C-alpha cells in the first residue's frame, strides 16, 4: 500500500518525501479532530456520572 | 512466490498501521485531550470573569435576577484547595460528553448552585485534563468553593469519598439516598453539593461520590473566602 502510494506520487524523491509528510500530517489531523473524539466515548473513561441522572 | 511476497508485505504494512494508530490514540488520550481541556477550561473561566466584571456595575444597584443556566454553557467556577492551590474549573450546564470535555458538568435536573436541594456536579477522573484525578484524597472538612460571579459558596465535605455502583442515582437526590443506607450523609433536607467521578481511575465499573454541605456564603465584593486565602 505504502509502496503503491510512493510510486504514484509525482516528482523526484525529495518532492515525494515532502508530499508524504503533508499527507501524514493531514491523516493525523483527521484522526485527532474527528476519528479519535468519535471513538473515545466507546472507552470507559467517560463514564463519570451516575446513570439516568 | 510473488503473490506470497505481496501477502506478507500487505500484512506487515497493516500491522504497522494498526500499531501506529494505537500509539497515536494513546497520545491523543493522555496528552491531547488534556491540552485541549486545559485551554477550554481557561477560556471558559476568563469568559465568565469578563461577563461578571461587565455585569458587576449593574449588580451594585440591587439583586440581579438569577439567569437560567444555558445548556452546555459555563455558569460558575469551582475551587477545591485539596486538589491544589491553582485548581479551578468551570462548571457547565449538563453532563454530556461534549460538555465534560470543557470542564465540570452540572446534572441539569439537580438544584441550582446554593439553593435548597442537591447541586450535583460530575467531572473526569482521567483524560480531558484529569480534573478529578485526586478525588480519593478528599477528606471530611475539605472546602469546596464555588463562585457564580456574585457570591462565593463554601461547601464543606462531610465524609470520605463513597464508592458505589453506576446505577446508584440516589446519590444525586435532593436528600442524597445512596444504595447503602449507612452511607447516607444527611438526615434532613438542606443545601448540599455532590461530586461524582469514575472509579477505578481508568475504568467505569464504579463511581466515587463526595458530599458537602453549604457552610457559608459571601458576596464576591467582600473578597475571597477564608478557604481560598490559606
Amino acid at each position: 500500500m505504502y509502496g503503491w502510494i510512493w510510486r504514484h506520487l509525482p516528482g523526484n524523491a525529495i518532492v515525494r518525501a515532502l508530499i508524504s509528510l503533508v499527507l501524514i500530517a493531514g491523516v493525523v489531523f483527521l484522526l485527532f479532530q474527528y476519528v479519535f473524539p468519535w471513538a473515545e466515548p466507546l472507552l470507559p473513561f467517560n463514564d463519570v456520572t451516575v446513570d439516568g441522572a | 512466490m510473488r503473490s506470497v511476497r505481496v501477502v506478507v508485505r500487505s500484512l506487515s504494512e497493516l500491522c504497522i498501521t494498526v500499531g501506529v494508530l494505537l500509539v497515536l490514540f494513546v497520545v491523543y488520550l493522555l496528552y491531547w485531550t488534556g491540552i485541549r481541556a486545559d485551554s477550554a477550561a481557561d477560556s471558559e473561566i476568563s469568559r465568565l470573569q469578563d461577563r461578571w466584571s461587565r455585569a458587576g456595575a449593574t449588580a451594585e444597584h440591587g439583586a440581579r435576577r438569577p439567569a437560567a443556566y444555558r445548556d452546555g454553557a459555563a455558569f460558575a467556577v469551582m475551587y477545591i484547595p485539596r486538589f491544589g492551590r491553582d485548581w479551578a474549573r468551570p462548571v457547565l450546564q449538563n453532563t454530556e460528553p461534549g460538555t465534560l470535555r470543557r470542564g465540570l458538568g452540572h446534572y441539569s435536573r439537580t438544584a441550582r448552585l446554593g439553593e435548597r436541594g442537591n447541586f450535583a456536579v460530575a467531572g473526569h477522573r482521567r483524560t480531558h485534563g484529569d480534573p478529578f484525578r485526586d478525588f480519593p484524597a478528599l477528606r471530611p472538612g475539605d472546602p469546596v468553593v464555588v463562585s457564580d460571579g456574585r457570591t462565593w459558596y463554601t461547601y464543606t465535605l462531610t465524609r470520605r469519598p463513597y464508592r458505589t455502583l453506576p446505577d446508584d442515582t440516589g446519590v444525586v437526590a435532593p436528600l442524597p439516598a445512596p444504595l447503602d443506607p449507612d452511607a447516607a450523609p444527611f438526615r434532613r433536607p438542606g443545601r448540599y453539593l455532590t461530586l461524582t467521578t469514575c472509579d477505578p481511575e481508568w475504568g467505569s465499573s464504579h463511581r466515587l461520590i463526595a458530599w458537602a454541605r453549604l457552610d457559608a456564603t459571601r458576596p464576591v465584593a467582600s473578597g475571597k473566602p477564608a478557604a481560598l486565602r490559606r
Side-chain angles (χ1 to χ4, degrees):
Chain A
M1 180 178 75
Y2 297 116
W4 184 89
I5 294 174
W6 180 260
R7 280 194 301 278
H8 284 74
L9 288 176
N12 58 23
I14 299 171
V15 175
R16 286 180 183 182
L18 287 177
I19 298 176
S20 309
L21 283 181
V22 173
L23 284 178
I24 292 170
V27 169
V28 170
F29 172 80
L30 287 180
L31 286 173
F32 273 55
Q33 194 66 27
Y34 300 104
V35 180
F36 290 160
W38 163 83
E40 197 208 342
L42 308 176
L43 290 170
F45 322 131
N46 280 288
D47 303 336
V48 294
T49 60
V50 285
D51 295 353
Chain B
M1 267 331 274
R2 194 165 177 275
S3 63
V4 173
R5 206 182 296 162
V6 168
V7 168
V8 170
R9 188 197 290 144
S10 307
L11 207 63
S12 15
E13 283 187 350
L14 188 70
C15 290
I16 293 172
T17 308
V18 170
V20 170
L21 274 180
L22 288 178
V23 169
L24 282 177
F25 191 43
V26 170
V27 169
Y28 166 82
L29 280 176
L30 293 189
Y31 298 102
W32 191 243
T33 61
I35 293 168
R36 290 291 294 267
D38 286 344
S39 76
D42 287 348
S43 72
E44 292 288 352
I45 290 179
S46 58
R47 214 180 311 160
L48 271 180
Q49 278 163 351
D50 278 359
R51 206 169 76 206
W52 292 342
S53 58
R54 264 186 283 117
T58 49
E60 303 293 330
H61 307 287
R64 266 183 293 150
R65 274 181 69 84
Y69 297 156
R70 265 191 312 117
D71 231 18
F75 59 87
V77 181
M78 182 178 286
Y79 304 83
I80 303 182
R82 171 71 72 183
F83 293 164
R85 275 172 155 282
D86 305 326
W87 193 96
R89 297 278 160 170
V91 185
L92 295 84
Q93 177 70 339
N94 85 31
T95 50
E96 304 291 323
T99 307
L100 290 170
R101 275 175 199 176
R102 288 179 288 142
L104 310 173
H106 170 232
Y107 288 78
S108 324
R109 274 184 254 162
T110 64
R112 292 169 56 97
L113 175 59
E115 287 192 346
R116 283 184 77 79
N118 192 354
F119 176 72
V121 172
H124 278 292
R125 178 94 176 268
R126 278 304 195 159
T127 73
H128 295 287
D130 306 340
F132 280 168
R133 184 182 54 201
D134 298 328
F135 206 90
L138 291 172
R139 289 293 175 269
D142 281 0
V144 175
V145 181
V146 191
S147 164
D148 65 356
R150 278 166 298 167
T151 311
W152 294 102
Y153 297 88
T154 305
Y155 291 87
T156 307
L157 291 189
T158 54
R159 49 163 292 162
R160 283 170 173 240
Y162 161 66
R163 190 163 180 269
T164 188
L165 293 168
D167 57 2
D168 191 356
T169 54
V171 299
V172 296
L175 178 60
L179 289 178
D180 173 8
D182 292 338
F186 310 113
R187 295 259 172 76
R188 51 191 86 249
R191 297 166 196 272
Y192 303 128
L193 168 136
T194 302
L195 304 175
T196 74
T197 192
C198 65
D199 191 73
E201 247 176 308
W202 294 100
S204 65
S205 60
H206 290 76
R207 300 289 181 271
L208 275 186
I209 315 294
W211 287 293
R213 90 158 42 84
L214 184 62
D215 254 1
T217 60
R218 182 185 171 88
V220 162
S222 24
K224 286 185 176 182
L228 294 186
R229 275 184 275 126
R230 263 174 232 153

